Amino acid sequence: MEEMRFKGQVQGLEMDRVMRDQEFSMAVRHFHDTYELYYLLEGERYYFIDQETYLVKAGDVVLIRPNQIHKTSAAGNPRHERILLQIEAGVVEPFLKVCRAGTMEELFHLSAAVIKTGEEEGRQIRNLMEQLERELSVRQEFQSGMAGLLVAQLVLLLLRCQQKTSWYQEPETVRTWKHQKVHEVARYLMKYPETRESLSQLAARFYVSKSYLSRIFKEVTSFTVNEYKNISRIKKSQELLTGSRYSVTEIAEILGYETVTYYERVFKRYTGMTPLRYRKKGEGAAGA
């Protein structure tokens, strides 16, 4: 059974709360340009982020930066309840600026992927989530501002959580043989996105069979090896588009695409825009 307990939004911010007591694994490939905050209220989940798999327990908060690859799946009992926030930076950053706290990008880079909260901090997080839910329940004056203020408080509280070394714990990474093997392959593909190795060649490199690698990689990441390779290339090309003077054709060649047309098609599939438009958008943001 799946129960949507709350869903609400204002411009630049979405919140939903879901309870599930059945097997569930994210089917949608998650790769988006918003910040994501995942709060697990009940249960345990595996959470794959970029190259690593974490064990997330009730009370933990997961922070996802824009364009990070991520996926949740069951860890034992499938029953769980979680709150998910999709946040555009512009909703929160005016409040962070007043607090001289930095940008969302800076704060999310300072934070670990998974934050373990203490008892008192857990109560404060739940209180802020309840306030946000009430604020998004009914259309009213100053709603966007109030919602942004609550999310800013939440982000600052989480940053403070990490600075309390008296109880802070490192997030638990999952180190089964299967997860470790997927981690090794994912790390390799992120480091060498231009590789033209086939699935068979990659399997041989990591001393597993082609069929086994194909199966476990899809189980853990929700992507096929080829899809993950393409995403690794797209992430690298985003860096090159905004941080270099290489032409789109040159970037396609650097990353091992046979034609610029195919590169542009893949880029648009995962980002929703062409490489040229992405570059112009980045230039506009830099000049703002």
Side-chain angles (χ1 to χ4, degrees):
M1 181 185 74
E2 176 174 313
E3 178 184 349
M4 177 66 73
R5 295 191 166 178
F6 177 77
K7 189 174 182 65
Q9 67 180 63
V10 292
Q11 185 174 359
L13 174 66
E14 296 181 16
M15 177 183 189
D16 65 76
R17 178 175 176 176
V18 173
M19 187 281 292
R20 298 185 178 93
D21 61 4
Q22 60 189 17
E23 195 70 30
F24 171 80
S25 182
M26 289 162 55
V28 177
R29 275 81 168 143
H30 266 49
F31 183 63
H32 46 70
D33 60 2
T34 55
Y35 291 88
E36 182 169 300
L37 191 154
Y38 176 103
Y39 180 48
L40 189 60
L41 293 160
E42 177 187 348
E44 291 187 356
R45 303 288 289 169
Y46 287 136
Y47 215 120
F48 176 82
I49 305 172
D50 277 344
Q51 309 163 34
E52 194 69 80
T53 302
Y54 300 90
L55 178 61
V56 178
K57 298 181 179 180
D60 292 351
V61 178
V62 183
L63 301 180
I64 303 295
R65 299 190 298 273
N67 296 324
Q68 278 195 298
I69 305 167
H70 57 288
K71 178 224 176 187
T72 65
S73 58
N77 189 332
R79 180 181 175 85
H80 69 284
E81 183 174 0
R82 59 92 174 131
I83 294 174
L84 187 68
L85 302 181
Q86 296 284 354
I87 310 160
E88 291 183 11
V91 173
V92 179
E93 288 188 343
F95 303 103
L96 298 178
K97 185 177 181 181
V98 169
C99 298
R100 299 181 180 178
T103 64
M104 284 285 279
E105 181 179 3
E106 291 168 341
L107 293 179
F108 270 57
H109 270 90
L110 283 172
S111 301
V114 181
I115 297 177
K116 304 282 183 182
T117 62
E119 187 175 337
E120 176 58 29
E121 287 76 13
R123 281 195 292 269
Q124 293 179 55
I125 290 169
R126 287 191 293 274
N127 182 51
L128 286 169
M129 290 291 192
E130 288 168 3
Q131 290 182 63
L132 182 59
E133 186 173 320
R134 288 195 296 270
E135 186 62 43
L136 296 178
S137 295
V138 182
R139 291 291 179 189
Q140 51 192 321
E141 197 172 8
F142 310 122
Q143 187 177 40
S144 293
M146 289 293 289
L149 179 58
L150 289 166
V151 176
Q153 286 181 260
L154 186 58
V155 171
L156 292 173
L157 174 61
L158 292 170
L159 190 63
R160 180 183 289 174
C161 282
Q162 286 195 273
Q163 296 172 348
K164 292 194 174 182
T165 55
S166 60
W167 58 263
Y168 177 70
Q169 304 173 41
E170 289 292 332
E172 298 180 50
T173 55
V174 181
R175 281 289 178 254
T176 65
W177 194 91
K178 175 178 73 174
H179 287 89
Q180 178 60 32
K181 188 59 62 176
V182 170
H183 166 72
E184 291 171 4
V185 176
R187 182 175 58 186
Y188 178 79
L189 292 175
M190 278 293 180
K191 187 174 181 179
Y192 303 106
E194 73 283 358
T195 181
R196 299 193 182 196
E197 291 168 283
S198 66
L199 178 60
S200 296
Q201 290 169 322
L202 281 170
R205 174 181 288 278
F206 291 96
Y207 306 104
V208 294
S209 71
K210 174 182 172 180
S211 59
Y212 182 71
L213 176 58
S214 179
R215 179 171 63 81
I216 65 171
F217 202 91
K218 184 71 179 288
E219 283 178 10
V220 172
T221 71
S222 85
F223 295 94
T224 66
V225 173
N226 193 54
E227 286 172 331
Y228 192 90
K229 185 190 297 184
N230 270 324
I231 287 179
S232 300
R233 288 176 170 178
I234 295 306
K235 287 168 68 70
K236 181 63 178 179
S237 75
Q238 287 175 318
E239 295 175 13
L240 294 172
L241 286 165
T242 56
S244 79
R245 294 185 177 274
Y246 289 120
S247 69
V248 171
T249 300
E250 288 171 328
I251 291 172
E253 292 174 353
I254 289 169
L255 293 175
Y257 285 102
E258 293 182 2
T259 67
V260 67
T261 302
Y262 180 61
Y263 161 60
E264 289 175 332
R265 186 162 67 245
V266 173
F267 190 96
K268 189 171 183 179
R269 182 194 312 158
Y270 286 105
T271 68
M273 64 184 77
T274 64
L276 190 57
R277 185 183 169 198
Y278 183 87
R279 170 169 273 172
K280 288 181 178 178
K281 181 182 176 183
E283 290 171 349

